[in-house]
Amino acid sequence: MGPSSAMMSAKAEEIGCVLSEPMVDLWKLRELALTEGGLVNDSLRKLAWPKLVGINPDISNPIVTTAQPSTSETSIPSSLDSEQIDRDVSRVTWHLLTGNQRSRNFQMKNKHRKRIGTLLKKKQRRLGDFLNLTLVQSYGEEDGEEDRLRYYQGYHDIASIFLSALGGATSVQTSLPIEGESKAQANVGDIQEAHTAAASMGLTLACQVLNQVSRSHYRDAMRSNFNQLNAALRLIIMPLTAAFDAEVHSHLFDCEMEPFFALSWIITWFSHDVRDTSLVKRLFDFFISSHPLMSIYMSVAMMIHPLNRIEILGSDCDFACVHNVLADLPKNSSNVGWKYIPGDGGSSGYVSGDDDDASAASGSLFDQSCDEPEEEGSQISSSVLNNPRNARVPFQELIDLSISLMHKIPPRNLINLAHRYHNEITLQPLMAEASTIALLQPPPSRCLASFADSDWVLKQRLREEHGLKLNRHQRKNRFKLVNTDLEYHGDEEVMGSKNSTKMQNKLAFKAIIASGTGPDGRAEERKIRQRRRMMVRSVAVVLLSVFAVMAKTYFSPTGEELHGISQRRAEFREAAMEKDTTVPDMANDSNRFSEGTCAKKDAPIDLRIESVEVAQVVEKPEIKETKQKLPDEDAEPKTEEDTTVCNNDEVSCFFMHQA
């Protein structure tokens, strides 16, 4: 069950409150983007996405009023890959048409079908212009031609989502290109023309956001080749899979599966495999707010999810079978636009369901397009409110699982994990590319910013710079803005002092983990286990000490017993000294030892020992004497006195044994 409409409306109001503050709390905004529903609708995304990627939208000159659309066609400069862009854009349909438009295209007859076809071509041409403008604008920000952003197949799927969310209407904007932005002198004219064309087409904001995301999250994919990206996939995906699910990794390893099965997931943020446009926008909320490596963590989470791993392990250990199962995993989370064909064994799977537009209409009813702009407000996509066709593996579960995986193994530990997984022969060429892999570098500072100026603050400052009068509402907010500046500078001092940990504790912990700068979860678990072992050892030592004290108290004699023992010892010593010069009466001594207190079983042990000592003192001379005078064969029989001495020897031995 997805979130209710009331919950999403309340969340939209909360996001609006965060964005309306003079200083936007970006960590709070990231936390809201990670939770159920994301940023809810495109109206909020237009305000939130620029803040999250670290840019401020161009604020029009307040002196200039709304301009009239130009009647002449705007010339669009061509990028280095314009031919490939035209070929790929001609095949894009799903993320350009809304659900209602796709439904009408299927249901209506020739007249309406032609109208939808004309609208589709118009949007495809707009998408191609958007791609060319974004790439041409990026050329001025690189020093050499090799460092320029290059188009790749799949980039058009990403651009269609940014165009749908940020493209807006076709009205002319008054934003002008930023002076001094160009660095390459050979393309100054094209870059200036691209800025002008983007402003006239209402694509300035969309181009800026896509350009920024391309440099931070897609930099490895937008090089002249995929060498860095392939090395990153080899270094990360299989070691992560082995660390979190050894059984799935063993199955993939046995069928010689390479990590390139996840390439389309990573370079398109699942927009190529998921056809529900509003759901893809929700995924973009998540990826924009997270570390650039989050798409790889999401790919691993897609495989090790309990339901998906059952399908992987249930497939035959064959490369083709396993690859087909892996390719269909995203469809378990959103099967809009796909049909499931059951079959025997591994023959079942998904096929493109172009005639299933009725379900697509329900799943993407409120998708925004350039000709049907979304109304301002808190309109909520229906796919946010419920899972289309009861998705078996909801994407929100995958999002939470991805964050937990990054918590256990943060990005800074991936190189060490790769060293433990790969052998030296495999690792050496991969590590040669590691220093040039943008995904393995620390995220840019703009992705970790804590605050950003609100849009209305920027507009008000611009009016003050131009010397324009402020209205009553703006004058009322001036005092609020001054107080906010003081608080903001105070927060900066706190962040730079030793009390910065207190500020970090107030931030959203989940968003910090998703940013890749959170604590090492496994290290924390090891510390917890060590603390538990230390506690167990301490408790064991305390228990043993208490037991020893109790045993000593229980078995040790009391004061009266010790006093009695000392008196008896003195008496025995006096008796021994008196009998040392005389021959003792062995018969009487025998009776005394047998009937006395020392012969009793209940007598103290010390008394028994003392009795044995006395017996040894008395009998020792006689024993030596008997040993010296051994009987001969012709000796006479023993007398009564000799028998008594022998009996006394036996009594002494008995007491010694008892002691």
Side-chain angles (χ1 to χ4, degrees):
M1 294 295 294
S4 62
S5 177
M7 292 175 58
M8 289 295 98
S9 299
K11 185 176 182 180
E13 293 180 1
E14 185 178 2
I15 297 173
C17 292
V18 173
L19 292 171
S20 62
E21 291 293 327
M23 298 302 300
V24 179
D25 187 353
L26 297 181
W27 287 112
K28 180 63 176 178
L29 190 61
R30 294 185 185 101
E31 184 76 10
L32 293 171
L34 299 179
T35 55
E36 185 75 36
L39 296 177
V40 183
N41 57 54
D42 289 349
S43 298
L44 297 174
R45 291 185 180 100
K46 289 181 181 179
L47 301 175
W49 281 7
K51 305 295 182 185
L52 293 175
V53 300
I55 63 172
N56 290 319
D58 288 341
I59 304 300
S60 302
N61 192 327
I63 301 176
V64 182
T65 57
T66 57
Q68 296 296 327
S70 177
T71 55
S72 60
E73 295 184 359
T74 305
S75 59
I76 305 297
S78 299
S79 63
L80 298 176
D81 307 292
S82 58
E83 295 181 359
Q84 185 63 43
I85 290 174
D86 294 339
R87 287 192 292 267
D88 292 343
V89 163
S90 62
R91 297 191 293 266
V92 177
T93 56
W94 275 93
H95 295 313
L96 293 180
L97 296 177
T98 63
N100 284 335
Q101 293 169 349
R102 287 193 295 270
S103 179
R104 290 197 300 267
N105 185 35
F106 170 71
Q107 295 174 358
M108 300 302 176
K109 297 297 181 182
N110 295 332
K111 182 177 180 180
H112 294 86
R113 191 181 289 261
K114 290 181 180 179
R115 184 192 305 177
I116 296 299
T118 303
L119 178 62
L120 178 60
K121 290 182 179 179
K122 181 180 179 181
K123 291 188 175 183
Q124 289 174 346
R125 185 168 58 254
R126 181 178 174 85
L127 176 60
D129 295 340
F130 174 50
L131 287 169
N132 283 291
L133 291 174
T134 302
L135 293 175
V136 172
Q137 290 181 19
S138 67
Y139 294 161
E141 301 178 5
E142 300 293 349
D143 295 332
E145 186 174 353
E146 296 180 356
D147 297 330
R148 292 178 177 177
L149 299 181
R150 301 300 299 270
Y151 174 83
Y152 64 88
Q153 287 184 317
Y155 190 63
H156 62 287
D157 292 318
I158 297 169
S160 63
I161 300 300
F162 281 95
L163 181 63
S164 176
L166 306 177
T170 57
S171 60
V172 177
Q173 303 293 324
T174 58
S175 301
L176 296 177
I178 302 174
E179 296 181 1
E181 187 178 10
S182 174
K183 293 182 182 179
Q185 298 179 357
N187 298 308
V188 172
D190 292 341
I191 296 169
Q192 187 70 22
E193 186 178 359
H195 282 289
T196 305
S200 64
M201 298 176 64
L203 298 177
T204 300
L205 180 61
C207 289
Q208 290 178 344
V209 175
L210 180 58
N211 192 359
Q212 198 83 316
V213 173
S214 299
R215 298 187 179 282
S216 59
H217 293 72
Y218 297 114
R219 189 65 188 90
D220 292 322
M222 301 193 70
R223 300 182 188 273
S224 58
N225 53 59
F226 275 8
N227 292 339
Q228 285 81 3
L229 183 59
N230 292 338
L233 297 183
R234 291 180 181 273
L235 280 171
I236 299 173
I237 289 185
M238 298 306 286
L240 274 180
T241 307
F244 293 118
D245 197 326
E247 191 174 0
V248 172
H249 171 267
S250 178
H251 191 68
L252 298 178
F253 185 81
D254 292 341
C255 66
E256 300 180 355
M257 180 62 62
E258 293 288 341
F260 306 125
F261 64 87
L263 184 62
S264 65
W265 304 347
I266 296 169
I267 64 176
T268 66
W269 281 357
F270 294 90
S271 60
H272 182 74
D273 300 274
V274 179
R275 293 185 172 181
D276 187 353
T277 306
S278 56
L279 180 58
V280 175
K281 293 177 183 178
R282 190 266 170 277
L283 292 178
F284 276 41
D285 296 337
F286 168 59
F287 290 124
I288 289 175
S289 305
S290 306
H291 192 277
L293 283 170
M294 186 57 78
S295 58
I296 296 182
Y297 282 86
M298 171 73 87
S299 302
V300 176
M302 179 75 70
M303 290 187 294
I304 68 174
H305 188 277
L307 294 179
N308 288 339
R309 72 185 301 272
I310 292 176
E311 294 188 4
I312 296 175
L313 297 176
S315 62
D316 296 335
C317 189
D318 179 71
F319 180 87
C321 295
V322 176
H323 191 277
N324 290 335
V325 172
L326 292 172
D328 289 340
L329 292 183
K331 302 174 183 64
N332 292 337
S333 301
S334 176
N335 56 8
V336 171
W338 301 95
K339 274 187 175 183
Y340 182 77
I341 305 299
D344 298 335
S347 60
S348 59
Y350 291 91
V351 295
S352 180
D354 294 333
D355 57 340
D356 196 17
D357 291 308
S359 63
S362 63
S364 304
L365 183 60
F366 298 107
D367 285 352
Q368 184 188 11
S369 65
C370 61
D371 289 343
E372 296 182 2
E374 184 181 13
E375 297 180 359
E376 298 294 333
S378 59
Q379 195 175 22
I380 305 168
S381 300
S382 61
S383 63
V384 173
L385 299 179
N386 51 65
N387 296 324
R389 291 192 176 185
N390 299 322
R392 300 174 57 201
V393 184
F395 265 113
Q396 186 60 42
E397 293 184 6
L398 298 176
I399 290 173
D400 296 336
L401 181 57
S402 303
I403 297 174
S404 66
L405 298 184
M406 184 169 285
H407 183 209
K408 294 179 180 178
I409 302 181
R412 60 181 177 271
N413 294 345
L414 292 177
I415 295 298
N416 295 333
L417 183 65
H419 278 281
R420 294 194 299 267
Y421 177 83
H422 295 286
N423 54 40
E424 295 183 0
I425 299 176
T426 307
L427 186 63
Q428 185 175 1
L430 298 178
M431 292 304 299
E433 301 284 349
S435 60
T436 60
I437 296 176
L439 291 174
L440 298 179
Q441 306 303 320
S445 58
R446 62 176 180 269
C447 297
L448 303 176
S450 300
F451 299 97
D453 293 331
S454 180
D455 290 344
W456 67 266
V457 172
L458 296 175
K459 292 179 181 179
Q460 185 168 340
R461 288 176 179 172
L462 187 62
R463 291 182 65 89
E464 292 178 354
E465 290 177 0
H466 287 80
L468 298 179
K469 294 182 179 180
L470 304 178
N471 56 33
R472 183 178 62 182
H473 179 70
Q474 292 171 343
R475 289 194 302 270
K476 182 179 179 181
N477 289 333
R478 177 191 292 176
F479 300 99
K480 183 178 180 181
L481 179 60
V482 172
N483 296 330
T484 303
D485 290 338
L486 295 176
E487 294 178 359
Y488 177 66
H489 291 302
D491 291 340
E492 285 183 342
E493 294 178 359
V494 173
M495 291 293 291
S497 63
K498 296 181 179 180
N499 297 328
S500 60
T501 54
K502 295 182 180 179
M503 178 65 78
Q504 291 292 335
N505 293 333
K506 298 180 181 179
L507 302 177
F509 184 68
K510 194 173 183 180
I512 293 175
I513 294 175
S515 67
T517 59
D520 189 347
R522 289 195 167 184
E524 290 182 346
E525 292 178 357
R526 287 193 295 269
K527 290 181 180 179
I528 292 174
R529 288 195 295 268
Q530 291 177 358
R531 291 174 184 173
R532 288 177 179 175
R533 285 195 293 265
M534 293 297 294
M535 289 178 63
V536 170
R537 292 173 184 174
S538 301
V539 171
V541 171
V542 171
L543 292 177
L544 290 175
S545 302
V546 172
F547 180 77
V549 172
M550 292 177 61
K552 184 177 180 181
T553 304
Y554 180 79
F555 292 104
S556 62
T558 61
E560 296 180 355
E561 293 178 348
L562 291 174
H563 182 67
I565 292 172
S566 61
Q567 288 182 353
R568 290 188 182 91
R569 286 180 177 177
E571 293 176 357
F572 284 128
R573 289 171 183 171
E574 291 177 359
M577 292 175 65
E578 291 177 357
K579 296 179 180 180
D580 190 15
T581 56
T582 61
V583 179
D585 188 359
M586 304 304 297
N588 294 332
D589 291 340
S590 175
N591 294 331
R592 181 169 63 83
F593 287 127
S594 61
E595 296 177 0
T597 57
C598 294
K600 294 182 180 180
K601 295 181 180 180
D602 297 335
I605 297 175
D606 292 340
L607 296 181
R608 300 179 196 173
I609 297 172
E610 189 68 26
S611 301
V612 174
E613 292 177 356
V614 174
Q616 290 176 352
V617 171
V618 174
E619 298 169 1
K620 191 171 182 181
E622 296 296 328
I623 292 172
K624 288 183 179 180
E625 187 176 7
T626 55
K627 288 182 179 180
Q628 292 175 359
K629 297 180 181 180
L630 294 175
D632 298 333
E633 295 179 357
D634 298 335
E636 296 180 357
K638 295 181 180 180
T639 61
E640 293 180 359
E641 293 180 359
D642 297 333
T643 305
T644 303
V645 173
C646 293
N647 292 333
N648 288 332
D649 292 339
E650 295 176 357
V651 172
S652 300
C653 294
F654 171 77
F655 280 108
M656 291 179 68
H657 178 70
Q658 291 295 326

